[in-house]
Amino acid sequence: MHRVEGLPDESAPVGLTLALGRLRALGVKGLRVALPAPGHPLGLSGPPEFNARALEAEEAVVCHGAPLGLVPEVYEAGPSGDVHVEVVWHCLAVREAPPADVPSLGEAERELAEALREATAVLSRLDVAGSGPVAEAAIDAYRARAERGREVLAPGYPPRAVRVLELAQRVGLLISLALERGHGGAVSASEMVARGEALRPVERTGRRAQVAAYNAYVEELERGVG
């Protein structure tokens, strides 16, 4: 269940459908994704209050057409196997300014190609690529989804955005395998730290590319394309 609280002229939280209608009435024409991380306010434009909440959640939505943004807060309750999940989106004022550090699709595609080579080299050097059946199963699952021709973006997005997002997700999978699936060849604390430092720029590039892909529709709308 999703609810939105803090909307202008709404004294109580409302459902997502009503909230989207209210945002449209306020002039919102599109939504941008932000995926910030500590030290990297990716997709944010301020003010500090909004940025702080978005950084805590590690995700946010910024409206195009009105100075508003939404930050999710997830609540879970109930016993294992019967967990009820509710998401409350907090609507806050944002600064009308270009989002931080979001590349163009062309830039993201070029950066991702290099990042993928770097990630592969690092994983091979640290023997993470051969980190066991769990890693192999994750890679097989990714390939199976890709082969089914899954739709990664809604209709209307430029084809390049789809390519960029698929490549960014592949980079993200490699990073998650390296950081979450055992230790591979990194058998000491110093080697584990070195692995994290080597992969951090690659992870940053992957997040930047995801934001560029998700926001491509709004960017074209803003430029009057399509």
Side-chain angles (χ1 to χ4, degrees):
M1 179 181 296
H2 291 257
R3 294 183 300 145
V4 180
E5 69 90 22
L7 281 169
D9 301 324
E10 294 288 348
S11 59
V14 300
L16 192 58
T17 301
L18 180 58
L20 290 174
R22 169 65 69 185
L23 289 172
R24 180 179 288 273
L26 291 169
V28 175
K29 300 177 181 178
L31 301 170
R32 286 188 173 95
V33 172
L35 297 176
H40 188 205
L42 175 61
L44 302 177
S45 58
E49 179 188 357
F50 182 81
N51 286 6
R53 298 192 70 156
L55 280 164
E56 183 177 356
E58 297 185 345
E59 58 185 341
V61 173
V62 179
C63 297
H64 168 57
L68 298 170
L70 305 168
V71 180
E73 187 171 3
V74 181
Y75 299 91
E76 294 184 356
S80 177
D82 188 26
V83 177
H84 169 75
V85 180
E86 181 175 350
V87 181
V88 176
W89 293 84
H90 300 278
C91 184
L92 302 165
V94 299
R95 182 179 298 137
E96 292 187 283
D101 200 34
V102 179
S104 69
L105 281 175
E107 291 170 335
E109 195 167 30
R110 290 191 297 271
E111 291 173 1
L112 274 175
E114 179 62 28
L116 190 57
R117 287 193 293 269
E118 291 177 4
T120 302
V122 170
L123 296 183
S124 298
R125 186 171 69 249
L126 298 172
D127 195 29
V128 177
S131 57
V134 174
E136 292 174 6
I139 292 174
D140 288 343
Y142 172 83
R143 288 171 176 162
R145 290 197 305 270
E147 289 169 0
R148 287 199 299 268
R150 61 193 178 96
E151 191 172 67
V152 296
L153 289 171
Y157 273 83
R160 178 176 247 177
V162 177
R163 293 199 308 270
V164 167
L165 183 56
E166 288 177 335
L167 187 55
Q169 290 175 341
R170 184 179 175 191
V171 169
L173 173 66
L174 289 172
I175 298 300
S176 68
L177 291 176
L179 298 179
E180 298 173 11
R181 306 294 190 186
H183 301 314
V187 295
S188 70
S190 62
E191 288 171 331
M192 292 172 65
V193 170
R195 180 179 65 184
E197 291 178 348
L199 291 174
R200 195 169 296 117
V202 182
E203 185 273 338
R204 182 187 182 107
T205 298
R207 281 191 299 109
R208 292 179 76 238
Q210 286 189 59
V211 170
Y214 284 127
N215 295 351
Y217 185 86
V218 172
E219 299 301 333
E220 290 199 346
L221 182 68
E222 194 170 46
R223 294 196 306 269
V225 179

